[in-house]
Amino acid sequence: MKLEKITSGRSYDDACATAHALDLIGERWALLVLRELMLGARRFGDLRASLPGISANVLTQRLEGLESAGIVRRRKLSPPASVQVYELTAWGAEAEPIVLALGRWAVRSPWHDPSLPLSPVALMLSFRAKFDPARARRVRVSIGFRFGDETFSVMVRDAALTTARADFGATEAQVSGAPGSVAALIYGKVRLEKLERQGALAVTGDRRMLQRFVDLFELPSKADTST
Amino acid sequence: MKLEKITSGRSYDDACATAHALDLIGERWALLVLRELMLGARRFGDLRASLPGISANVLTQRLEGLESAGIVRRRKLSPPASVQVYELTAWGAEAEPIVLALGRWAVRSPWHDPSLPLSPVALMLSFRAKFDPARARRVRVSIGFRFGDETFSVMVRDAALTTARADFGATEAQVSGAPGSVAALIYGKVRLEKLERQGALAVTGDRRMLQRFVDLFELPSKADTST
DNA sequence: CGGCATCCGGGAAGATACTG
DNA sequence: CAGTATCTTCCCGGATGCCG
């Protein structure tokens, strides 16, 4: 099968693998769809809600293209759920370093505006992108996050960070609020007390553990565009 | 200044840094322009020649956008050259991990076609992408490459690889031919003797050193799109 | 010739309405 | 809820021409 038929876009006709990657996932919205699938299967409507601005027909096209390229798979959940979801193939999941590399680079952009809407998955992935193992040695914490009806757990131990969709369950501290408010706490270094007073965040459990987690991350430095 | 004015494209309006990266370098051809600038300043015509299929007006637009975003800078070479070139800013050069991550991922694509045209810079960057320090311990080689009138040198020592535009000069072996033929030698594991017999490559210097370099790289494995 | 503006055709993206 | 159909807008790509 010809490549143009797979993504139904134009090909760069370049043997360079980077160019080929752009043939596969370089179309508008494609990489953000992958981002939203990085933490597990999602429904069509979930994806639409997490990608403000995408229209239904474009999302349909992207999912079709990614599916025929072997990056995304559609699956029907077993009854009684019987609902259709989209998930990454093993190869699709291997695109995570691309998503993280893009984030690490652009967070230093002078034009980056952290006040825009932020999806829960995007926030969770940002932890993976900015996590510094050297800084996390000897730190052992587990934090739960709740955004609406989505919950996640983040664990730091043995200088490694793991993120997953999971119950608050066995975490040491739990945070509820908007993803952007959590970002303000961690990356903007806004004081937790202030965010609680504003009603932006609600915390239960061991607050000192949460602060220990926050201190794992530093303020991103802005890039030098003059040299 | 509003972001939309910088790249003159549409914005994702997403606080996620990955989305912002796509605002900056997600337009068609943008990342390939960066790729071609990764190994040093280039002229407009050089870029056009290395990016078959790009039209002059699109290249102009991309260069303008990347320049106003602080990723690319245009510079006038001092006389007597007095010619205009484009080069990466310090921040633009930091996008290299993105280019390499895309390449590492897509080289495993079932649809990747290595027989398409390949630019010299793309080949040189592929060395950086696929270099395995563990495999290169105790190896110390320097190879020169010539593609038309462009020459590069690659050095491996102390489990590190360095690539640069440079004379053949002090390298131990020198290779001339098309970038695709070098790729066939290194990634396709086509025998050097065969490529020489076909007239695809010409080698001078210590052939054993060249073979030692070739052996640093392994055949890329194809991805699993079924699980 | 290098760099860039202009015009145009085709096609992808965006918005909205509609259907099972 | 999960898409499809339709229409509009705008980007991409190709051709041409201008200017230093």
Side-chain angles (χ1 to χ4, degrees):
Chain A
M1 193 191 297
K2 290 266 300 182
L3 174 62
E4 289 79 30
K5 298 299 181 184
I6 308 282
T7 58
S8 71
R10 301 161 198 187
S11 167
Y12 286 110
D13 284 326
D14 191 321
C16 169
T18 300
H20 180 56
L22 297 172
D23 283 335
L24 295 170
I25 56 176
E27 290 170 303
R28 194 160 165 77
W29 293 107
L31 260 163
L32 299 186
V33 171
L34 290 196
R35 179 193 77 190
E36 288 302 316
L37 294 177
M38 282 289 161
L39 257 37
R42 310 285 299 277
R43 302 177 56 167
F44 188 92
D46 297 335
L47 293 171
R48 238 192 128 175
S50 294
L51 298 170
I54 198 172
S55 56
N57 50 9
V58 170
L59 180 54
T60 300
Q61 287 171 27
R62 288 299 158 273
L63 289 169
E64 281 173 355
L66 293 169
E67 184 184 9
S68 65
I71 297 164
V72 162
R73 181 157 20 97
R74 76 199 305 182
R75 185 162 58 91
K76 190 137 191 168
L77 258 39
S78 48
S82 296
V83 71
Q84 186 173 251
V85 294
Y86 297 87
E87 64 188 0
L88 296 176
T89 63
W91 179 44
E94 290 173 20
E96 180 174 334
I98 299 170
V99 175
L100 300 189
L102 284 163
R104 281 189 204 102
W105 176 76
V107 79
R108 306 192 59 221
S109 164
W111 321 105
H112 181 222
D113 180 2
S115 71
L116 294 167
L118 184 66
S119 88
V121 170
L123 176 66
M124 291 295 125
L125 288 176
S126 77
F127 296 156
R128 294 188 186 177
K130 322 239 294 191
F131 181 73
D132 176 6
R135 196 161 171 160
R137 291 188 339 169
R138 309 171 151 282
V139 175
R140 186 177 169 126
V141 296
S142 61
I143 312 289
F145 293 92
R146 154 164 286 140
F147 312 108
D149 56 356
E150 294 186 79
T151 59
F152 301 84
S153 76
V154 177
M155 281 198 290
V156 177
R157 57 188 293 186
D158 301 329
L161 177 142
T162 57
T163 320
R165 289 184 184 277
D167 284 344
F168 273 16
T171 58
E172 295 158 325
Q174 301 83 35
V175 187
S176 298
S181 302
V182 176
L185 173 69
I186 295 179
Y187 306 124
K189 299 303 177 192
V190 177
R191 294 289 311 263
L192 172 57
E193 291 73 17
K194 184 173 179 183
L195 289 162
E196 284 183 295
R197 222 178 310 120
Q198 296 173 345
L201 289 182
V203 178
T204 59
D206 187 340
R207 308 165 58 82
R208 283 169 47 239
M209 292 310 243
L210 176 57
Q211 191 59 48
R212 203 173 293 184
F213 179 73
V214 170
D215 292 340
L216 288 174
F217 302 90
E218 55 184 5
L219 277 158
S221 64
K222 285 306 171 187
D224 177 9
T225 60
S226 63
T227 59
Chain B
M1 194 190 299
K2 291 267 297 183
L3 173 63
E4 289 79 31
K5 297 300 180 182
I6 309 280
T7 58
S8 72
R10 301 164 194 182
S11 167
Y12 287 109
D13 285 325
D14 191 320
C16 169
T18 300
H20 180 56
L22 297 172
D23 284 335
L24 296 170
I25 55 176
E27 290 169 305
R28 192 160 166 77
W29 293 107
L31 260 163
L32 299 186
V33 171
L34 290 196
R35 180 194 77 189
E36 288 302 316
L37 294 177
M38 282 290 161
L39 257 36
R42 308 287 298 277
R43 302 178 58 167
F44 187 91
D46 297 336
L47 294 171
R48 242 194 124 174
S50 295
L51 298 170
I54 197 172
S55 56
N57 53 4
V58 170
L59 180 53
T60 299
Q61 287 171 26
R62 288 302 160 270
L63 289 168
E64 279 173 357
L66 293 169
E67 184 184 9
S68 64
I71 298 164
V72 161
R73 181 155 22 97
R74 74 199 306 182
R75 187 161 57 89
K76 190 138 191 169
L77 259 40
S78 47
S82 296
V83 71
Q84 186 174 250
V85 294
Y86 297 87
E87 64 187 1
L88 296 176
T89 64
W91 180 45
E94 291 173 19
E96 180 174 336
I98 299 169
V99 175
L100 300 190
L102 284 162
R104 281 189 203 102
W105 177 76
V107 79
R108 306 191 58 220
S109 165
W111 322 104
H112 180 223
D113 180 2
S115 71
L116 294 167
L118 185 65
S119 88
V121 170
L123 176 66
M124 291 295 124
L125 288 176
S126 78
F127 296 156
R128 294 189 186 177
K130 321 237 299 189
F131 181 72
D132 176 5
R135 196 161 170 159
R137 291 188 340 168
R138 309 170 150 281
V139 175
R140 187 178 167 125
V141 296
S142 62
I143 313 288
F145 292 92
R146 154 164 286 140
F147 312 107
D149 56 357
E150 294 187 77
T151 59
F152 301 84
S153 76
V154 177
M155 282 198 289
V156 177
R157 56 188 292 187
D158 302 329
L161 177 142
T162 57
T163 320
R165 288 184 185 277
D167 283 345
F168 272 18
T171 57
E172 295 158 324
Q174 300 83 35
V175 186
S176 298
S181 302
V182 176
L185 172 69
I186 296 179
Y187 305 126
K189 298 304 177 192
V190 178
R191 294 289 311 264
L192 173 57
E193 290 73 17
K194 183 173 180 184
L195 290 162
E196 283 183 297
R197 222 178 311 120
Q198 296 173 346
L201 289 183
V203 178
T204 59
D206 187 340
R207 307 165 58 83
R208 283 167 50 237
M209 290 310 236
L210 176 57
Q211 191 58 48
R212 205 174 291 184
F213 179 73
V214 169
D215 292 340
L216 287 175
F217 301 90
E218 55 184 4
L219 278 158
S221 65
K222 286 305 171 186
D224 178 9
T225 61
S226 64
T227 60

